[in-house]
């Protein structure tokens, strides 16, 4: 539980900081389209940081439910791949990062399915 609370709170902090940076530090430095890409990264980052906090409490309440633990790790990977690739794409313009984004989205989907599986089994 402690690990996912730390990961969730650190990621929430980072998402808020990157949101502020995007709003103030990137304005006029990258195109409006890339600012929107940045904002999408921040939006999914904050939602899934909160998801990690939610998972922390599930892991604490149901310590034997491995689906919740897996969901947390996969959600964290999703943040790195989805939001991380959008941050990199928007600031560098390197198209290589574009195909990484859907892998992060897939990780988010898998993580939420694992939360649902855990709910069906343990709640």
């Amino acid at each position: 539980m402690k690990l996912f609370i730390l990961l969730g709170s650190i990621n929430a902090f980072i998402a808020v900081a990157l949101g502020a940076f995007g709003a103030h530090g990137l304005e006029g430095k990258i195109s409006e389209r890339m600012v929107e890409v940045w904002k999408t990264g921040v939006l999914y980052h904050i939602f899934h940081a909160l998801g990690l906090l939610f998972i922390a409490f599930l892991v604490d309440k149901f310590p034997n439910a491995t689906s919740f633990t897996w969901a947390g790790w996969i959600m964290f990977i999703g943040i790195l791949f989805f939001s991380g690739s959008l941050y990199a794409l928007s600031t560098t313009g390197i198209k290589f990062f574009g195909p990484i984004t859907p892998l992060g989205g897939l990780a988010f989907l898998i993580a939420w399915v694992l939360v649902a599986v855990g709910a069906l089994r343990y709640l």
Side-chain angles (χ1 to χ4, degrees), residues 87-100:
Y87 299 144
L89 174 66
S90 62
T91 56
T92 68
I94 298 172
K95 302 289 184 205
F96 167 79
F97 295 110
I100 297 171

Side-chain angles (χ1 to χ4, degrees), residues 2 9 29 37-38 45 48-49 56-57 67 75 83 86 102 110:
K2 182 190 277 187
S9 59
K29 293 187 173 80
V37 169
W38 182 274
H45 195 162
H48 290 89
F57 290 103
S67 63
M75 191 171 290
S83 295
L86 291 180
I110 291 168

Side-chain angles (χ1 to χ4, degrees), residues 11-12 14-23 26 35-49 79 82-84 86-87 90:
N11 272 281
I14 291 169
V16 170
L18 290 175
F21 175 72
L26 293 178
V35 168
E36 290 304 313
V37 169
W38 182 274
K39 287 180 181 179
T40 299
V42 169
L43 181 66
Y44 280 76
H45 195 162
I46 195 69
F47 281 138
H48 290 89
I79 290 170
F82 187 89
S83 295
L86 291 180
Y87 299 144
S90 62

Side-chain angles (χ1 to χ4, degrees), residues 61-94:
K61 187 166 173 77
F62 304 98
N64 295 326
T66 58
S67 63
F68 295 139
T69 302
W70 276 104
W73 286 115
I74 293 170
M75 191 171 290
F76 178 64
I77 290 167
I79 290 170
L80 295 176
F81 279 40
F82 187 89
S83 295
S85 67
L86 291 180
Y87 299 144
L89 174 66
S90 62
T91 56
T92 68
I94 298 172

